[in-house]
Amino acid sequence: MNTEFELRGVNHVALVCSDMKQTVDFYSGVLGMSLIKTIELPMGWGQHFFFDCGGGNALAFFWFPDAPDGVPGVSAPKNLPDRGELLSAVGSMNHLAFDVPPEKIEEYRERLVAKGIDVGVLLNHDDSEFGVAPAVHDGVFVRSIYFKDPDGILIEFACWLRELDRPEDVRHEPKTAADRTR
């Protein structure tokens, strides 16, 4: 437990979009998040909009008229993890995961597909060599699906299946910059 600072979770995550209307249509229209605050930035810098993403948390987007385009494989992964892509650049946001109820994840995948969203397969994350299992077992700690928003931001719906309290849950030594293989 952190005694240095009283951290109460994530207030919001702020991302950058290419088209605020398209972003509102996706996050409100497809995912059902309420738009809770809109801001016109001073001096024509753009807009800053906030969505309620549940649990007292918010997801925010900036729209900058002169923002450079994202670069797949740099600013975000090129594709979905179940299609062999996970790499993104240092300092980038790899993906955004929303917590969903375990009993709803399959239904949510079907709903997204029905809305025309390209959704990856349901993954059972475990500690096996490749990190996923073909079926749920005692070692599966989270189940998830991945998809992208209109700007290519990788989104995950994830549900915890167990507490992360086993000795094997924290067993790896952190790598350093010297461990990079370039």
Side-chain angles (χ1 to χ4, degrees), residues 8-147:
R8 301 181 299 177
V10 175
N11 181 284
H12 70 275
V13 172
L15 306 173
V16 178
C17 67
S18 65
D19 181 315
M20 191 62 85
K21 174 148 182 15
Q22 174 179 269
T23 298
V24 169
D25 290 347
F26 182 81
Y27 286 90
S28 288
V30 174
L31 299 185
M33 293 182 191
S34 298
L35 185 61
I36 57 174
K37 179 68 177 166
T38 63
I39 300 167
E40 290 289 331
L41 299 174
M43 302 188 301
W45 287 349
Q47 296 182 314
H48 192 28
F49 284 20
F50 291 77
F51 298 87
D52 179 347
C53 63
N57 303 299
L59 175 62
F61 284 89
F62 282 104
W63 172 80
F64 301 119
D66 298 324
D69 289 339
V71 179
V74 177
S75 51
K78 290 180 186 175
N79 210 329
L80 305 181
D82 66 304
R83 297 176 191 164
E85 284 293 336
L86 193 57
L87 182 70
S88 62
V90 171
S92 69
M93 184 197 72
N94 186 271
H95 68 277
L96 180 61
F98 294 105
D99 188 42
V100 299
E103 67 277 6
K104 299 267 189 176
I105 195 159
E106 292 178 31
E107 174 188 338
Y108 289 179
R109 184 182 185 284
E110 291 171 13
R111 284 187 193 179
L112 289 166
V113 169
K115 292 177 183 242
I117 305 300
D118 181 20
V119 183
V121 298
L122 180 57
L123 297 174
N124 301 304
H125 300 272
D126 68 359
D127 290 322
S128 64
E129 180 182 2
F130 292 104
V132 291
V136 175
H137 61 82
D138 184 52
V140 173
F141 54 91
V142 69
R143 299 183 85 201
S144 70
I145 55 174
Y146 293 89
F147 54 98

Side-chain angles (χ1 to χ4, degrees), residues 116-180:
I117 305 300
D118 181 20
V119 183
V121 298
L122 180 57
L123 297 174
N124 301 304
H125 300 272
D126 68 359
D127 290 322
S128 64
E129 180 182 2
F130 292 104
V132 291
V136 175
H137 61 82
D138 184 52
V140 173
F141 54 91
V142 69
R143 299 183 85 201
S144 70
I145 55 174
Y146 293 89
F147 54 98
K148 289 187 172 194
D149 86 346
D151 283 312
I153 295 170
L154 186 59
I155 300 172
E156 177 183 20
F157 278 1
C159 56
W160 297 113
L161 294 190
R162 66 173 179 82
E163 294 291 323
L164 298 179
D165 57 3
R166 298 177 184 174
E168 64 269 19
D169 287 334
V170 181
R171 62 187 158 104
H172 302 92
E173 287 298 317
K175 301 286 186 185
T176 70
D179 294 315
R180 294 181 79 170

